[in-house]
Amino acid sequence: MPDTGTSSSADWLKRERLPIRRSLLQVVALGLAGGLLLIGQAGLLASLADAVILHSATLAGLWPLLWGLLAVFLLRAVLIWAAERTAFAAAARVKLDLRRRLFAQLQRLGPARLAGASSGELSSALLDNVEALEGYYARFLPQMALAALLPLTILVFVLPADWFSGLVLVLTAPLIPIFMALIGKGAETLNQRQWRRLAILSARLLDGIQGLTTLKLFNASRREAQVIARLSEDYRHSTMAVLRVAFLSSLTLEFFASVSIAVVAVFIGFRLLGALGWGPIDFRVGFFVLLLAPEFFQPLRNLATQYHARMEAIGAAERLVEILEQPFAESVASPRPVPPGERFHIAFERVSFAYEPGRAALEELSLEVQPGQRVALVGPSGAGKSTVVSLLLGFLVPDSGVIRINGEPLSEIDLAAWRSQLAWVPQRPRIFHGSLRENILLGRPDADEAALRRAARLARADEFIERLDQGYDTQVGERGQGLSGGQAQRIALARAFLRDAPLVLLDEATASLDAESEDLVQAGIDELARGRTLVVIAHRLSTVRDADQILVLDHGRLVEQGDHHTLLARQGLYAGLVHAYGVAA
């Protein structure tokens, strides 16, 4: 990964800490207070050892020191608990806010922009990547401040007591972060590579689970297992590379810290014995300095332990930044309400759209849909039919041209309000894990039981629902497991009836159904079309005979329009498609 990516992720992580800055300062203040208590604890222990070893103090004379130690222990425990609680509460706020923003961003991007993304990789980003940031905000950031403040605080007490020991600590401490930085220079790149491989593995695992039936039928499950095993092995190698760097950093820190503490201990020991020229040292002072020497390096040890959390967070943030910074069409500052009227007049005025440079889906498309019309979009694959519907749904924004709803530009209309006026029935409807009742109520959760049953009846879904043991409370699996294709389509139609929207968009709902299910669903569509404007993507031309207007698209342009008989008489593209599919005239 280039350094620019690493820098971008690190800068983004720093910006994300701003809302919790006060909480982080509280954590640092609590840690610093705990450090002062630790210094007091070392002083009490030194006095206690001095009194017992050199002055033969009795238990009665030691009680004030013992009670003082107990109070310090309790206060330190309270401060540590408060610091941990505050830190993790702050990190939880960051994660909650970030997941909300990520989900909102995915909603803004819409299914058209996310069509090429793996659902497994996206779910891994929202769950695992966000979770990996906790250590950075809860532990690394507070510890980074404490690693600078606590050693300085300890030096304030050590230098007046024994300047030589303080000098040893001052000279050796900077070596630790210098060597750790040199060793860990490439660790961020390794972490980013690790997270990318985890995303690939997660996506492949989810695809394998969702496609298990297909894999078994084609006897490909063993081959897929081998692919997943290879990806898992790649991820293991990435993880081990990161851990090697982490262990090497820890080894460097422990080496320098141990050598420094040993030097302090040896010189204090010699001076206690009077073996050095500049004079002996008082036992209580020497023991006090010796107790504080390991504590001087403890914040640096803790920082080294949490440094891996920083590298992991930078690796995890790479994908989060990509999602959050993916461009989408900005909504206007003050969107207009949906134009009044029971029905809508829709006009495309020289609309062009390209998914990527050189891949135009629509080129200066102009068309009209009159209120109350039943309009069919037909054309060869790739003609732009789905793009027209995605633009109407607001999932895409034209590169040029204008879409007008009752004369008002769609780009200036409140999208949420506009979508509330739509009912969308795709070719493969999404049935969510839950009850049939919850799935039908998706677009209108406040509907009463009578409205629910009426919608199911109009969609011809009530007959199979009432045959089920639990009726509308029957649980279905993810993607409609437990329902046939026709039953799932009728549930989707029931949603549309319950929505009671003036504009209905369909990606031909009967394209992959058997004859009996097709008749039931088609009857439901005919019922749904009454009194509404209906725009349907037609895959089978036999279903468009009764359309008021047929719009024929080819390479993103409107090449023909009219009713079935008019277009047949022209002997153009539509007539060619009809003859090619063997549809009776």
Side-chain angles (χ1 to χ4, degrees), residues 121-286:
E121 189 265 345
L122 289 175
S123 63
S124 175
L126 264 69
L127 296 174
D128 298 334
N129 290 45
V130 173
E131 201 64 33
L133 305 185
E134 180 179 282
Y136 177 81
Y137 292 108
R139 293 184 288 270
F140 175 77
L141 286 180
Q143 194 56 49
M144 187 168 63
L146 291 173
L149 294 175
L150 283 180
L152 289 175
T153 305
I154 291 173
L155 278 176
V156 170
F157 289 87
V158 170
L159 282 171
D162 182 22
W163 67 268
F164 179 79
S165 297
L167 183 62
V168 172
L169 298 178
V170 168
L171 292 177
T172 55
L175 296 175
I176 296 173
I178 290 173
F179 277 92
M180 283 178 58
L182 291 174
I183 293 172
K185 190 175 181 181
E188 292 171 357
T189 302
L190 293 175
N191 269 274
Q192 288 173 324
R193 185 184 306 163
Q194 179 193 23
W195 279 102
R196 285 195 293 270
R197 288 181 175 173
L198 177 61
I200 295 171
L201 177 60
S202 299
R204 193 75 187 217
L205 278 170
L206 184 61
D207 288 343
I209 293 171
Q210 291 178 340
L212 192 57
T213 302
T214 303
L215 292 173
K216 296 292 285 186
L217 288 174
F218 284 90
N219 199 27
S221 55
R222 290 185 181 276
R223 292 198 301 273
E224 184 66 16
Q226 291 171 353
V227 172
I228 292 174
R230 177 177 57 78
L231 293 174
S232 300
E233 184 67 11
D234 290 342
Y235 179 65
R236 184 184 72 83
H237 282 297
S238 295
T239 303
M240 294 305 296
V242 171
L243 290 177
R244 279 194 293 270
V245 174
F247 291 150
L248 187 58
S249 299
S250 297
L251 176 64
T252 303
L253 183 144
E254 292 299 329
F255 172 78
F256 283 107
S258 299
V259 168
S260 180
I261 294 169
V263 170
V264 171
V266 167
F267 276 87
I268 287 177
F270 281 141
R271 292 171 65 195
L272 285 173
L273 296 173
L276 294 177
W278 63 76
I281 187 173
D282 183 71
F283 175 81
R284 185 181 64 80
V285 173

Side-chain angles (χ1 to χ4, degrees), residues 396-407:
L396 299 174
V397 177
D399 296 331
S400 63
V402 180
I403 302 173
R404 296 189 184 275
I405 308 298
N406 287 353

Side-chain angles (χ1 to χ4, degrees), residues 214-444:
T214 303
L215 292 173
K216 296 292 285 186
L217 288 174
F218 284 90
N219 199 27
S221 55
R222 290 185 181 276
R223 292 198 301 273
E224 184 66 16
Q226 291 171 353
V227 172
I228 292 174
R230 177 177 57 78
L231 293 174
S232 300
E233 184 67 11
D234 290 342
Y235 179 65
R236 184 184 72 83
H237 282 297
S238 295
T239 303
M240 294 305 296
V242 171
L243 290 177
R244 279 194 293 270
V245 174
F247 291 150
L248 187 58
S249 299
S250 297
L251 176 64
T252 303
L253 183 144
E254 292 299 329
F255 172 78
F256 283 107
S258 299
V259 168
S260 180
I261 294 169
V263 170
V264 171
V266 167
F267 276 87
I268 287 177
F270 281 141
R271 292 171 65 195
L272 285 173
L273 296 173
L276 294 177
W278 63 76
I281 187 173
D282 183 71
F283 175 81
R284 185 181 64 80
V285 173
F287 194 53
F288 172 71
V289 171
L290 194 57
L291 288 173
L292 287 181
E295 302 300 336
F296 177 85
F297 292 101
Q298 190 58 45
L300 293 172
R301 285 192 176 100
N302 293 339
L303 180 62
T305 303
Q306 304 307 331
Y307 190 72
H308 180 69
R310 175 184 180 271
M311 295 188 295
E312 186 177 31
I314 288 176
E318 181 186 20
R319 179 55 177 145
L320 303 180
V321 173
E322 287 178 5
I323 295 174
L324 290 172
E325 294 184 355
Q326 190 168 340
F328 63 92
E330 295 286 348
S331 58
V332 294
S334 300
R336 301 180 186 180
V338 178
E342 294 183 0
R343 301 179 184 179
F344 297 115
H345 175 271
I346 301 168
F348 279 57
E349 299 176 359
R350 302 176 66 87
V351 171
S352 296
F353 178 81
Y355 288 97
E356 57 187 46
R359 187 190 162 201
L362 300 179
E363 293 188 46
E364 297 191 346
L365 176 68
S366 295
L367 59 83
E368 287 189 52
V369 177
Q370 299 296 331
Q373 273 193 333
R374 183 170 182 168
V375 176
L377 299 175
V378 303
S381 178
K385 304 184 295 294
S386 297
T387 304
V388 169
V389 172
S390 293
L391 287 165
L392 269 178
L393 289 167
F395 294 145
L396 299 174
V397 177
D399 296 331
S400 63
V402 180
I403 302 173
R404 296 189 184 275
I405 308 298
N406 287 353
E408 299 287 347
L410 179 58
S411 59
E412 298 178 9
I413 296 174
D414 183 357
L415 268 182
W418 167 241
R419 287 172 182 156
S420 69
Q421 303 296 312
L422 307 177
W424 164 237
V425 183
Q427 186 178 351
R428 289 181 290 275
R430 179 74 186 201
I431 305 298
F432 294 91
H433 179 78
S435 67
L436 293 176
R437 181 188 306 277
E438 291 168 339
N439 273 281
I440 296 175
L441 290 173
L442 188 65
R444 191 180 154 198

